[in-house]
Amino acid sequence: MSGPRCGMAALKEALESARPLQLEGLVECLLRQYRSLDRGGAAEGPTTREKLLCPGCGGFLRDPVTAHCGHTYCWPCLRGEPRKRCRVCQGDMGCPPRRTCVLLRQLVDRCVPGIRGWQHRDIAELLSAGQHQEALHTIRLAMDTDPNDLILRVYRAESYAALFEFGEAHKELDFVLSKQRNWPEVYFRKAKILQDTGHLYESLTTYLQCLAVDEEFTSAITEIEKILRDFLSPAPGTVDGILKALEITPLPNLPMKPFVLGSDNKETSYHLQTNLEQDEVLPKPLMSLSSSGLHRTQSAHALHCDEGAKRVDSLKRVSSEPLLSSQESGALLKRKLSLTEQDANLWEDGRKKHIRHEGSEDLSMLLADPSVLQSLIDGSDFECSLCMRLFYEPVTTPCGHTFCKKCLERCLDHTPQCPLCKQSLTEYLAHRIYNVTYLLEELINQYLPEELSERKRLHEEETFELSNLTKNVPIFVCTMAYPTVPCPLHVFEPRYRLMIRRCMETGTKQFGMCISDPENSFADYGCMLEIRNVHFLPDGRSVVDTIGGKRFFVLKRGMHDGYCTADIEYLTDTQVEEEELQQLRGLHDAVYAQACRWFQNLRYKFRSQILYHFGSMPEREDNIQVSPSGPAWCWWLLAVLPVDPRYQLSVLSMRSLKERLLKIQHILTCFSRDQSK
């Protein structure tokens, strides 16, 4: 007996010392154990995704919404419990709400005219407003149009649960799961009902099924932790009673009869046990554990019953009545979205009922034979409204409009608003993550291959032209730049935002820097800058970290999309022979020593500022002709000397190291005299 007693003592200690911080590991352990049992294979899903099918519910994209990651879901799948991770790519879904993708909405309407995506939003509004009876009527009418819509059954389950018809709610959810087994939101809804009605074991198992499908479903993790906290952290006075009850009676497990698809028994009961029946089954020590889960349901049920038998009968009649006449539905349904009279008459006219079934027939044909889309897709529908060409890397904004990625970026350079509807895209711009809308890209690849091939050819030609570092080189007209010397830039003008982005996209990461010239727009000589890093600010501005590269001479000037360009020729120092090289080394060493003395004699304040902005002076090089632009210290010194830019430009243009050293020596001599005074 010592063994069991020691075990009970250990369990008692564990119950009394359990802490919420320990629940995370326990949830992971339970999930691993559940997956090892492979109960029902809830995590199994389709290996391929059909076009125009929602990756969340597997249904038709009646109301397509493109998430932040670029994958498209139907709007009801993003309602309610928000997803944090995409089911397809596990990427960030972004913050809802997002509007319907206009382009995909038009394609859906053309493919299946009978499908009305706005019905889902109407029903959702009724549910949010607590008008569950009217929601049920609307759902019944909508299911006449598309009886295979599983979203409508989920909505009906939500309505039944709100009207305390829990058995009917479970019946609807079980039917949905029999059709779509990898739908975590449905598992969560089912588990939530079980939890609220006191069926904690069934609720815990269903939450684990939800996590087996989507381990990032944080709401399920939170609810599991609540259940475990109730079990593992009871009041200290009830621990002994719980342990005694565990020795005699197992923990409460109140099974529900599952729904079996195709069952002939039409009188299958789905009624849960009443609160009184549960009180008789549960031992008193265990009643305290489940009381927290039942408290809200009991209070709501008692309040509901106090309204009278007439109120209860009316609820039962509404939840069990199969259909309503058009007059009754018109009296109960209060739509918030306006409809045209033609749509309303079509909806209410019984003689045109067969028209409502055309949507289901077209949908079945479309899903059975995707080639039907070929005759419905028109290339003009997939043209960007900004460049008037076929979409290349289509991106859908939160407001639902689609543009080429590069076209959208160019517009956001000027103003953080949608080019079509003028909705603010400030937050969208701040993240600067423009993910391609995968569904549109797949449709273009499959149904418009020739047009896409031509569009790619044009894009490659433009990219090749922009990546040429001798022809039409982009020129930033701003300040003096020197080889090997860092040159940080604050880019805020739209034309230069575009220029910097193109330099990054082409892979060259280089552009020319010249000072302005009153006569020729910019100077004849300049220096190439290589981009080392770009830091984008939330408002679209950027801080660009660059370093100087080769010097160049301007052969021809031009303009492209607002910024200057030039055909250039690179400059290199003239090499000298051995005899002249010895004299050049002597001059080089003398000027280097003079430069070091000048820098050391500067005031501490000036010396500190130079070191902060330009870094330390480069070391003296042994081979002074190894670099095509000469020793690096010369350019560092020229950058820190307070000399007129025109004088600096004359030094930059020199191809002789000897002449450049003599110029620097002359400047240092002048500044040394001023220091001595």
Side-chain angles (χ1 to χ4, degrees), residues 434-456:
Y434 311 123
N435 290 311
V436 172
T437 304
Y438 294 103
L439 179 54
L440 285 176
E441 194 171 54
E442 292 173 5
L443 292 173
I444 293 173
N445 284 330
Q446 181 171 351
Y447 298 106
L448 299 171
E450 296 180 0
E451 294 86 343
L452 179 61
S453 178
E454 178 64 18
R455 181 68 172 88
K456 286 183 177 180

PDB file of all heavy atoms in Angstrom, residues 434-456:
ATOM      1  N   TYR A 434       5.356  43.672 -50.005  1.00  0.00           N
ATOM      2  CA  TYR A 434       4.346  43.586 -51.048  1.00  0.00           C
ATOM      3  C   TYR A 434       4.378  42.167 -51.629  1.00  0.00           C
ATOM      4  O   TYR A 434       5.058  41.908 -52.627  1.00  0.00           O
ATOM      5  CB  TYR A 434       4.601  44.626 -52.136  1.00  0.00           C
ATOM      6  CG  TYR A 434       4.847  46.023 -51.594  1.00  0.00           C
ATOM      7  CD1 TYR A 434       6.016  46.725 -51.880  1.00  0.00           C
ATOM      8  CD2 TYR A 434       3.915  46.638 -50.768  1.00  0.00           C
ATOM      9  CE1 TYR A 434       6.242  47.990 -51.386  1.00  0.00           C
ATOM     10  CE2 TYR A 434       4.133  47.911 -50.266  1.00  0.00           C
ATOM     11  CZ  TYR A 434       5.293  48.578 -50.578  1.00  0.00           C
ATOM     12  OH  TYR A 434       5.514  49.838 -50.073  1.00  0.00           O
ATOM     13  N   ASN A 435       3.679  41.249 -50.974  1.00  0.00           N
ATOM     14  CA  ASN A 435       3.674  39.859 -51.424  1.00  0.00           C
ATOM     15  C   ASN A 435       2.775  39.692 -52.645  1.00  0.00           C
ATOM     16  O   ASN A 435       1.693  40.287 -52.729  1.00  0.00           O
ATOM     17  CB  ASN A 435       3.180  38.941 -50.298  1.00  0.00           C
ATOM     18  CG  ASN A 435       4.194  38.849 -49.163  1.00  0.00           C
ATOM     19  OD1 ASN A 435       5.369  38.627 -49.393  1.00  0.00           O
ATOM     20  ND2 ASN A 435       3.729  39.034 -47.935  1.00  0.00           N
ATOM     21  N   VAL A 436       3.227  38.876 -53.568  1.00  0.00           N
ATOM     22  CA  VAL A 436       2.480  38.622 -54.794  1.00  0.00           C
ATOM     23  C   VAL A 436       1.193  37.870 -54.481  1.00  0.00           C
ATOM     24  O   VAL A 436       1.163  36.991 -53.607  1.00  0.00           O
ATOM     25  CB  VAL A 436       3.347  37.809 -55.780  1.00  0.00           C
ATOM     26  CG1 VAL A 436       2.542  37.369 -56.986  1.00  0.00           C
ATOM     27  CG2 VAL A 436       4.546  38.627 -56.216  1.00  0.00           C
ATOM     28  N   THR A 437       0.107  38.211 -55.153  1.00  0.00           N
ATOM     29  CA  THR A 437      -1.159  37.486 -55.027  1.00  0.00           C
ATOM     30  C   THR A 437      -1.038  36.185 -55.816  1.00  0.00           C
ATOM     31  O   THR A 437      -1.103  36.176 -57.046  1.00  0.00           O
ATOM     32  CB  THR A 437      -2.327  38.336 -55.555  1.00  0.00           C
ATOM     33  OG1 THR A 437      -2.348  39.594 -54.862  1.00  0.00           O
ATOM     34  CG2 THR A 437      -3.657  37.629 -55.346  1.00  0.00           C
ATOM     35  N   TYR A 438      -0.848  35.087 -55.091  1.00  0.00           N
ATOM     36  CA  TYR A 438      -0.487  33.822 -55.730  1.00  0.00           C
ATOM     37  C   TYR A 438      -1.579  33.306 -56.659  1.00  0.00           C
ATOM     38  O   TYR A 438      -1.285  32.739 -57.715  1.00  0.00           O
ATOM     39  CB  TYR A 438      -0.163  32.772 -54.657  1.00  0.00           C
ATOM     40  CG  TYR A 438       1.058  33.102 -53.858  1.00  0.00           C
ATOM     41  CD1 TYR A 438       0.960  33.623 -52.567  1.00  0.00           C
ATOM     42  CD2 TYR A 438       2.326  32.915 -54.392  1.00  0.00           C
ATOM     43  CE1 TYR A 438       2.094  33.938 -51.836  1.00  0.00           C
ATOM     44  CE2 TYR A 438       3.466  33.233 -53.665  1.00  0.00           C
ATOM     45  CZ  TYR A 438       3.333  33.739 -52.386  1.00  0.00           C
ATOM     46  OH  TYR A 438       4.460  34.063 -51.673  1.00  0.00           O
ATOM     47  N   LEU A 439      -2.831  33.479 -56.276  1.00  0.00           N
ATOM     48  CA  LEU A 439      -3.913  32.951 -57.102  1.00  0.00           C
ATOM     49  C   LEU A 439      -3.935  33.632 -58.467  1.00  0.00           C
ATOM     50  O   LEU A 439      -4.082  32.969 -59.505  1.00  0.00           O
ATOM     51  CB  LEU A 439      -5.253  33.131 -56.383  1.00  0.00           C
ATOM     52  CG  LEU A 439      -6.493  32.644 -57.144  1.00  0.00           C
ATOM     53  CD1 LEU A 439      -6.330  31.193 -57.563  1.00  0.00           C
ATOM     54  CD2 LEU A 439      -7.744  32.822 -56.295  1.00  0.00           C
ATOM     55  N   LEU A 440      -3.785  34.945 -58.500  1.00  0.00           N
ATOM     56  CA  LEU A 440      -3.750  35.652 -59.779  1.00  0.00           C
ATOM     57  C   LEU A 440      -2.544  35.225 -60.607  1.00  0.00           C
ATOM     58  O   LEU A 440      -2.639  35.046 -61.823  1.00  0.00           O
ATOM     59  CB  LEU A 440      -3.706  37.164 -59.532  1.00  0.00           C
ATOM     60  CG  LEU A 440      -5.007  37.822 -59.084  1.00  0.00           C
ATOM     61  CD1 LEU A 440      -4.777  39.288 -58.783  1.00  0.00           C
ATOM     62  CD2 LEU A 440      -6.084  37.661 -60.140  1.00  0.00           C
ATOM     63  N   GLU A 441      -1.413  35.057 -59.959  1.00  0.00           N
ATOM     64  CA  GLU A 441      -0.223  34.628 -60.680  1.00  0.00           C
ATOM     65  C   GLU A 441      -0.411  33.227 -61.261  1.00  0.00           C
ATOM     66  O   GLU A 441       0.011  32.949 -62.391  1.00  0.00           O
ATOM     67  CB  GLU A 441       0.981  34.660 -59.741  1.00  0.00           C
ATOM     68  CG  GLU A 441       2.311  34.554 -60.454  1.00  0.00           C
ATOM     69  CD  GLU A 441       3.472  34.819 -59.519  1.00  0.00           C
ATOM     70  OE1 GLU A 441       3.541  34.146 -58.466  1.00  0.00           O
ATOM     71  OE2 GLU A 441       4.309  35.685 -59.826  1.00  0.00           O
ATOM     72  N   GLU A 442      -1.070  32.332 -60.511  1.00  0.00           N
ATOM     73  CA  GLU A 442      -1.338  30.985 -61.017  1.00  0.00           C
ATOM     74  C   GLU A 442      -2.292  31.018 -62.210  1.00  0.00           C
ATOM     75  O   GLU A 442      -2.095  30.304 -63.202  1.00  0.00           O
ATOM     76  CB  GLU A 442      -1.921  30.126 -59.899  1.00  0.00           C
ATOM     77  CG  GLU A 442      -0.941  29.810 -58.789  1.00  0.00           C
ATOM     78  CD  GLU A 442      -1.611  29.101 -57.630  1.00  0.00           C
ATOM     79  OE1 GLU A 442      -2.817  28.782 -57.751  1.00  0.00           O
ATOM     80  OE2 GLU A 442      -0.947  28.868 -56.613  1.00  0.00           O
ATOM     81  N   LEU A 443      -3.318  31.844 -62.127  1.00  0.00           N
ATOM     82  CA  LEU A 443      -4.272  31.938 -63.237  1.00  0.00           C
ATOM     83  C   LEU A 443      -3.612  32.493 -64.491  1.00  0.00           C
ATOM     84  O   LEU A 443      -3.862  32.015 -65.603  1.00  0.00           O
ATOM     85  CB  LEU A 443      -5.454  32.821 -62.824  1.00  0.00           C
ATOM     86  CG  LEU A 443      -6.381  32.263 -61.742  1.00  0.00           C
ATOM     87  CD1 LEU A 443      -7.391  33.321 -61.309  1.00  0.00           C
ATOM     88  CD2 LEU A 443      -7.095  31.010 -62.214  1.00  0.00           C
ATOM     89  N   ILE A 444      -2.753  33.490 -64.331  1.00  0.00           N
ATOM     90  CA  ILE A 444      -2.054  34.057 -65.485  1.00  0.00           C
ATOM     91  C   ILE A 444      -1.096  33.031 -66.086  1.00  0.00           C
ATOM     92  O   ILE A 444      -1.004  32.881 -67.311  1.00  0.00           O
ATOM     93  CB  ILE A 444      -1.303  35.342 -65.075  1.00  0.00           C
ATOM     94  CG1 ILE A 444      -2.305  36.440 -64.702  1.00  0.00           C
ATOM     95  CG2 ILE A 444      -0.402  35.829 -66.198  1.00  0.00           C
ATOM     96  CD1 ILE A 444      -1.662  37.686 -64.129  1.00  0.00           C
ATOM     97  N   ASN A 445      -0.381  32.303 -65.235  1.00  0.00           N
ATOM     98  CA  ASN A 445       0.553  31.287 -65.733  1.00  0.00           C
ATOM     99  C   ASN A 445      -0.169  30.197 -66.516  1.00  0.00           C
ATOM    100  O   ASN A 445       0.340  29.717 -67.539  1.00  0.00           O
ATOM    101  CB  ASN A 445       1.311  30.655 -64.567  1.00  0.00           C
ATOM    102  CG  ASN A 445       2.395  31.563 -64.029  1.00  0.00           C
ATOM    103  OD1 ASN A 445       2.967  32.353 -64.769  1.00  0.00           O
ATOM    104  ND2 ASN A 445       2.681  31.468 -62.747  1.00  0.00           N
ATOM    105  N   GLN A 446      -1.360  29.810 -66.049  1.00  0.00           N
ATOM    106  CA  GLN A 446      -2.057  28.682 -66.663  1.00  0.00           C
ATOM    107  C   GLN A 446      -2.866  29.078 -67.891  1.00  0.00           C
ATOM    108  O   GLN A 446      -2.874  28.349 -68.893  1.00  0.00           O
ATOM    109  CB  GLN A 446      -2.975  28.016 -65.633  1.00  0.00           C
ATOM    110  CG  GLN A 446      -3.722  26.801 -66.180  1.00  0.00           C
ATOM    111  CD  GLN A 446      -4.448  26.042 -65.090  1.00  0.00           C
ATOM    112  OE1 GLN A 446      -4.266  26.318 -63.910  1.00  0.00           O
ATOM    113  NE2 GLN A 446      -5.277  25.082 -65.472  1.00  0.00           N
ATOM    114  N   TYR A 447      -3.528  30.217 -67.824  1.00  0.00           N
ATOM    115  CA  TYR A 447      -4.483  30.554 -68.880  1.00  0.00           C
ATOM    116  C   TYR A 447      -4.006  31.638 -69.836  1.00  0.00           C
ATOM    117  O   TYR A 447      -4.622  31.838 -70.879  1.00  0.00           O
ATOM    118  CB  TYR A 447      -5.814  30.979 -68.248  1.00  0.00           C
ATOM    119  CG  TYR A 447      -6.452  29.878 -67.443  1.00  0.00           C
ATOM    120  CD1 TYR A 447      -6.447  29.920 -66.049  1.00  0.00           C
ATOM    121  CD2 TYR A 447      -7.042  28.794 -68.067  1.00  0.00           C
ATOM    122  CE1 TYR A 447      -7.028  28.912 -65.304  1.00  0.00           C
ATOM    123  CE2 TYR A 447      -7.619  27.774 -67.329  1.00  0.00           C
ATOM    124  CZ  TYR A 447      -7.611  27.837 -65.950  1.00  0.00           C
ATOM    125  OH  TYR A 447      -8.178  26.819 -65.221  1.00  0.00           O
ATOM    126  N   LEU A 448      -2.935  32.345 -69.492  1.00  0.00           N
ATOM    127  CA  LEU A 448      -2.402  33.387 -70.387  1.00  0.00           C
ATOM    128  C   LEU A 448      -0.897  33.201 -70.550  1.00  0.00           C
ATOM    129  O   LEU A 448      -0.102  34.127 -70.303  1.00  0.00           O
ATOM    130  CB  LEU A 448      -2.712  34.781 -69.818  1.00  0.00           C
ATOM    131  CG  LEU A 448      -4.183  35.139 -69.642  1.00  0.00           C
ATOM    132  CD1 LEU A 448      -4.329  36.436 -68.863  1.00  0.00           C
ATOM    133  CD2 LEU A 448      -4.894  35.227 -70.984  1.00  0.00           C
ATOM    134  N   PRO A 449      -0.451  32.021 -70.968  1.00  0.00           N
ATOM    135  CA  PRO A 449       0.997  31.765 -71.037  1.00  0.00           C
ATOM    136  C   PRO A 449       1.707  32.594 -72.100  1.00  0.00           C
ATOM    137  O   PRO A 449       2.837  33.047 -71.879  1.00  0.00           O
ATOM    138  CB  PRO A 449       1.069  30.266 -71.343  1.00  0.00           C
ATOM    139  CG  PRO A 449      -0.232  29.944 -72.010  1.00  0.00           C
ATOM    140  CD  PRO A 449      -1.245  30.865 -71.397  1.00  0.00           C
ATOM    141  N   GLU A 450       1.085  32.795 -73.269  1.00  0.00           N
ATOM    142  CA  GLU A 450       1.740  33.550 -74.332  1.00  0.00           C
ATOM    143  C   GLU A 450       1.885  35.019 -73.952  1.00  0.00           C
ATOM    144  O   GLU A 450       2.947  35.626 -74.156  1.00  0.00           O
ATOM    145  CB  GLU A 450       0.943  33.411 -75.628  1.00  0.00           C
ATOM    146  CG  GLU A 450       0.887  31.988 -76.172  1.00  0.00           C
ATOM    147  CD  GLU A 450       0.095  31.903 -77.454  1.00  0.00           C
ATOM    148  OE1 GLU A 450      -0.404  32.960 -77.910  1.00  0.00           O
ATOM    149  OE2 GLU A 450      -0.019  30.802 -78.020  1.00  0.00           O
ATOM    150  N   GLU A 451       0.810  35.583 -73.414  1.00  0.00           N
ATOM    151  CA  GLU A 451       0.868  36.984 -73.003  1.00  0.00           C
ATOM    152  C   GLU A 451       1.896  37.182 -71.887  1.00  0.00           C
ATOM    153  O   GLU A 451       2.629  38.182 -71.873  1.00  0.00           O
ATOM    154  CB  GLU A 451      -0.510  37.466 -72.540  1.00  0.00           C
ATOM    155  CG  GLU A 451      -1.556  37.517 -73.637  1.00  0.00           C
ATOM    156  CD  GLU A 451      -2.260  36.178 -73.832  1.00  0.00           C
ATOM    157  OE1 GLU A 451      -1.716  35.158 -73.360  1.00  0.00           O
ATOM    158  OE2 GLU A 451      -3.334  36.160 -74.455  1.00  0.00           O
ATOM    159  N   LEU A 452       1.959  36.208 -70.975  1.00  0.00           N
ATOM    160  CA  LEU A 452       2.922  36.312 -69.880  1.00  0.00           C
ATOM    161  C   LEU A 452       4.354  36.198 -70.391  1.00  0.00           C
ATOM    162  O   LEU A 452       5.254  36.904 -69.903  1.00  0.00           O
ATOM    163  CB  LEU A 452       2.643  35.221 -68.846  1.00  0.00           C
ATOM    164  CG  LEU A 452       3.585  35.183 -67.641  1.00  0.00           C
ATOM    165  CD1 LEU A 452       3.520  36.485 -66.863  1.00  0.00           C
ATOM    166  CD2 LEU A 452       3.254  34.002 -66.731  1.00  0.00           C
ATOM    167  N   SER A 453       4.576  35.339 -71.370  1.00  0.00           N
ATOM    168  CA  SER A 453       5.918  35.201 -71.936  1.00  0.00           C
ATOM    169  C   SER A 453       6.384  36.507 -72.571  1.00  0.00           C
ATOM    170  O   SER A 453       7.542  36.919 -72.395  1.00  0.00           O
ATOM    171  CB  SER A 453       5.915  34.071 -72.971  1.00  0.00           C
ATOM    172  OG  SER A 453       7.177  33.946 -73.573  1.00  0.00           O
ATOM    173  N   GLU A 454       5.498  37.174 -73.295  1.00  0.00           N
ATOM    174  CA  GLU A 454       5.832  38.464 -73.891  1.00  0.00           C
ATOM    175  C   GLU A 454       6.084  39.520 -72.828  1.00  0.00           C
ATOM    176  O   GLU A 454       7.010  40.344 -72.949  1.00  0.00           O
ATOM    177  CB  GLU A 454       4.705  38.904 -74.825  1.00  0.00           C
ATOM    178  CG  GLU A 454       4.903  40.263 -75.478  1.00  0.00           C
ATOM    179  CD  GLU A 454       6.101  40.300 -76.417  1.00  0.00           C
ATOM    180  OE1 GLU A 454       6.569  39.218 -76.832  1.00  0.00           O
ATOM    181  OE2 GLU A 454       6.563  41.413 -76.728  1.00  0.00           O
ATOM    182  N   ARG A 455       5.263  39.467 -71.772  1.00  0.00           N
ATOM    183  CA  ARG A 455       5.442  40.439 -70.676  1.00  0.00           C
ATOM    184  C   ARG A 455       6.779  40.223 -69.965  1.00  0.00           C
ATOM    185  O   ARG A 455       7.470  41.204 -69.618  1.00  0.00           O
ATOM    186  CB  ARG A 455       4.286  40.275 -69.678  1.00  0.00           C
ATOM    187  CG  ARG A 455       4.329  41.246 -68.505  1.00  0.00           C
ATOM    188  CD  ARG A 455       4.063  42.662 -68.970  1.00  0.00           C
ATOM    189  NE  ARG A 455       3.920  43.560 -67.850  1.00  0.00           N
ATOM    190  CZ  ARG A 455       4.945  44.188 -67.267  1.00  0.00           C
ATOM    191  NH1 ARG A 455       6.172  44.019 -67.730  1.00  0.00           N
ATOM    192  NH2 ARG A 455       4.742  44.998 -66.253  1.00  0.00           N
ATOM    193  N   LYS A 456       7.179  38.990 -69.776  1.00  0.00           N
ATOM    194  CA  LYS A 456       8.466  38.704 -69.147  1.00  0.00           C
ATOM    195  C   LYS A 456       9.623  39.160 -70.040  1.00  0.00           C
ATOM    196  O   LYS A 456      10.643  39.655 -69.543  1.00  0.00           O
ATOM    197  CB  LYS A 456       8.593  37.215 -68.852  1.00  0.00           C
ATOM    198  CG  LYS A 456       7.741  36.735 -67.678  1.00  0.00           C
ATOM    199  CD  LYS A 456       7.983  35.263 -67.411  1.00  0.00           C
ATOM    200  CE  LYS A 456       7.195  34.801 -66.182  1.00  0.00           C
ATOM    201  NZ  LYS A 456       7.410  33.357 -65.898  1.00  0.00           N
TER     202      LYS A 456
END
